Amino acid sequence: MHIVADENIPLLDEFFAGLGSITRLPGRAIDRAALRQADALLVRSVTRVDQALLRDTPVRFVGTCTIGTDHLDLDGLRGSGVSLASAPGCNARGVVEYVLSCLLTLAERRATDWRQQRVGIVGVGEVGTRLVRVLATLGVECLLCDPPRAARGETGFVGLDELIAQADVISLHVPLSREGAHPTWHLFDQARLQALRPNAWLINSSRGPVIDNAALEQVMTERQDLALALDVWEHEPWVARSLAARCELATPHIAGYSLDGKLRGTEQIYQAFCRFLGIDPELSLEQLAPQDGLAELQLSATTPTDWMLSRALRWVYDVRDDDARFRRMLAEAVDDAALRAGFDRLRKDYPLRRECAHLRLSADAGLSAELARLFSELGFSV
Ligand SMILES: NC(=O)C1=CN([C@@H]2O[C@H](COP(=O)(O)OP(=O)(O)OC[C@H]3O[C@@H](n4cnc5c(N)ncnc54)[C@H](O)[C@@H]3O)[C@@H](O)[C@H]2O)C=CC1
Ligand SMILES: O=C(O)C(=O)[C@H](O)COP(=O)(O)O
């Protein structure tokens, strides 16, 4: 059994070495020649996998250690008898922590209470559902838009145009799709962008082309009132510098980049590969994940709840650090080739980031029962 894999998949050896020999390659360098002897292909989101890539290769299993599958030609590959697997929900917590950090930061810069904003969530699947749950715990009003779920008879959703008319903040969590009943490619076009409420905040951590980036730049030029946080870009790894300059927060597709999320992605694909091979999985993250214990943050019991909350959330993840690194890279990149390489380098060399479950909160005089409940509902260890 020979496996070709994206070199950015963590715990590759630990999970897969017992199942076959492994060749690691940069995800963007995986081509047909590299797959000549490969039975299985393990990717993340940057390798376009279609029939042309797999033609005349022995590949029979393709696994992507990511939530998104828009880089896989699902229909074409299914038709060719290749077994496909993805990692639903693996890094949803990281994305939610990214969105919370954006909300905190944008509110702080406007001296606004972010918990008073009405948040519109477009796409209410793994990420959107988790985000709603956390925001509801914090008392934030949410509007939800998910036409595929509404079409299945589920309730509690509004139409996209109604959401745009009513939401102070909009956060996008849809898959990228060009076809089907509810395509999302350029879901936010010029008209919808112009319809955003005065002073609206728009956060995109789904996929770049869900927003028409050229229209977005034009609308941002015309409207100084909007605030924009972009983690994903229409032509990654290339980024329109002029659009980045108009963002209040700009990051290189790292919203879900907690170590925990990446490791879960690898484990989910290991399990799918074992099913494909007809064997029982012998390994688990519990055995293989780094056992580094919980980090501790001690808060002062006398400080106001909102202050404790922002301190704890920022301690887990602070989007300002990623924004600063991204802008430094943009400033230093001398041409488009350097920009593309810089985008990928920031992702390859991403600093260690753990999710809030790995952080224990305590207070000098003990956390009140109410705060302990709030923090544990948010996913912290208390
Ligand atoms: N920036 C990052 O680091 C990451 C980005 N992502 C992106 O986020 C996307 C969402 O992730 P999950 O919530 O886990 O996916 P999911 O598949 O669990 O949920 C997506 C939801 O969007 C809904 N949807 C589909 N078309 C829609 C439309 N036209 N309008 C409104 N809703 C629509 C679906 O019905 C579903 O409920 C992924 O497909 C991926 O592209 C995911 C992880 C990390
Ligand atoms: O899971 C997804 O979907 C994502 O967008 C991943 O966070 C992307 O990670 P990379 O494939 O870009 O490492």
Side-chain angles (χ1 to χ4, degrees):
M1 176 70 57
H2 186 57
I3 301 166
V4 170
D6 183 322
E7 63 184 8
N8 288 346
I9 297 174
L11 293 186
L12 200 53
D13 271 340
E14 289 81 349
F15 272 115
F16 291 94
L19 301 176
S21 56
I22 303 173
T23 300
R24 282 176 188 65
L25 289 170
R28 295 188 203 279
I30 296 175
D31 59 10
R32 254 178 84 208
L35 299 176
R36 286 265 147 74
Q37 317 281 326
D39 305 291
L41 171 61
L42 310 181
V43 296
R44 289 190 57 88
S45 75
V46 300
T47 310
R48 171 81 192 148
V49 187
D50 54 17
Q51 285 174 300
L53 181 75
L54 301 190
R55 189 163 11 99
D56 299 331
T57 74
V59 173
R60 285 293 159 263
F61 176 89
V62 174
T64 182
C65 305
T66 59
I67 292 183
T69 55
D70 49 285
H71 53 296
L72 310 181
D73 171 14
L74 294 176
D75 292 338
L77 293 173
R78 274 196 205 104
S80 64
V82 173
S83 179
L84 298 170
S86 66
C90 62
N91 53 36
R93 293 169 209 208
V95 178
V96 170
E97 287 164 4
Y98 159 88
V99 175
L100 291 175
S101 188
C102 289
L103 293 173
L104 271 175
T105 304
L106 295 175
E108 189 177 271
R109 290 178 183 171
R110 282 161 185 72
T112 308
D113 181 354
W114 61 278
R115 291 166 71 183
Q116 299 302 319
Q117 303 290 305
R118 188 184 289 137
V119 178
I121 297 172
V122 183
V124 195
E126 296 276 356
V127 178
T129 301
R130 191 172 281 274
L131 181 60
V132 180
R133 205 178 311 133
V134 167
L135 291 176
T137 301
L138 294 167
V140 177
E141 183 186 350
C142 293
L143 289 169
L144 312 182
C145 168
D146 194 313
R149 288 185 59 184
R152 292 198 293 270
E154 296 184 62
T155 55
F157 302 106
V158 298
L160 182 56
D161 293 317
E162 185 183 344
L163 180 144
I164 290 172
Q166 293 191 21
D168 304 309
V169 179
I170 297 181
S171 193
L172 308 184
H173 302 291
V174 291
L176 175 62
S177 59
R178 284 174 182 267
E179 280 151 19
H182 307 284
T184 60
W185 184 82
H186 285 194
L187 186 64
F188 278 69
D189 57 9
Q190 179 120 14
R192 287 199 166 120
L193 292 165
Q194 273 162 343
L196 291 169
R197 279 169 71 85
N199 304 310
W201 308 350
L202 178 61
I203 304 172
N204 189 12
S205 59
S206 61
R207 285 293 183 262
V210 171
I211 303 181
D212 176 343
N213 278 205
L216 178 61
E217 194 174 333
Q218 193 181 326
V219 170
M220 291 301 291
T221 313
E222 292 158 8
R223 291 186 57 176
Q224 320 295 301
D225 61 308
L226 302 175
L228 186 59
L230 292 188
D231 179 56
V232 287
W233 308 82
E234 193 161 3
H235 304 290
E236 292 174 18
W238 182 79
V239 170
R241 292 171 191 265
S242 44
L243 179 58
R246 298 208 174 269
C247 289
E248 195 149 332
L249 292 165
T251 48
H253 194 152
I254 48 64
Y257 258 29
S258 64
L259 174 65
D260 312 283
K262 287 188 195 170
L263 296 182
R264 274 194 295 272
T266 310
E267 183 188 41
Q268 285 174 240
I269 293 307
Y270 164 74
Q271 290 167 345
F273 192 41
C274 288
R275 277 195 299 278
F276 167 76
L277 296 175
I279 59 175
D280 288 333
E282 288 179 355
L283 302 169
S284 73
L285 258 192
E286 225 172 298
Q287 299 159 265
L288 299 178
Q291 299 298 321
D292 45 5
L294 297 178
E296 299 269 349
L297 175 65
Q298 201 180 61
L299 301 160
S300 167
T302 55
T303 49
T305 304
D306 278 357
W307 191 88
M308 279 200 212
L309 191 58
S310 52
R311 174 106 203 273
L313 290 174
R314 282 239 157 94
W315 194 57
V316 174
Y317 175 64
D318 193 337
V319 67
R320 294 173 301 182
D321 298 335
D322 280 326
D323 172 74
R325 275 189 285 272
F326 188 53
R327 287 185 202 278
R328 221 165 20 244
M329 182 281 285
L330 287 175
E332 286 166 6
V334 290
D335 55 21
D336 280 353
L339 191 160
R340 287 189 170 89
F343 190 92
D344 281 345
R345 197 184 52 252
L346 286 174
R347 289 148 52 75
K348 187 172 166 54
D349 300 338
Y350 194 68
L352 178 67
R353 175 175 150 201
R354 302 306 300 263
E355 293 167 354
C356 60
H358 287 270
L359 306 171
R360 187 195 304 284
L361 296 177
S362 58
D364 43 11
L367 277 178
S368 69
E370 194 197 333
L371 266 180
R373 185 191 54 77
L374 176 71
F375 280 126
S376 66
E377 278 177 20
L378 294 177
F380 287 95
S381 302
V382 290

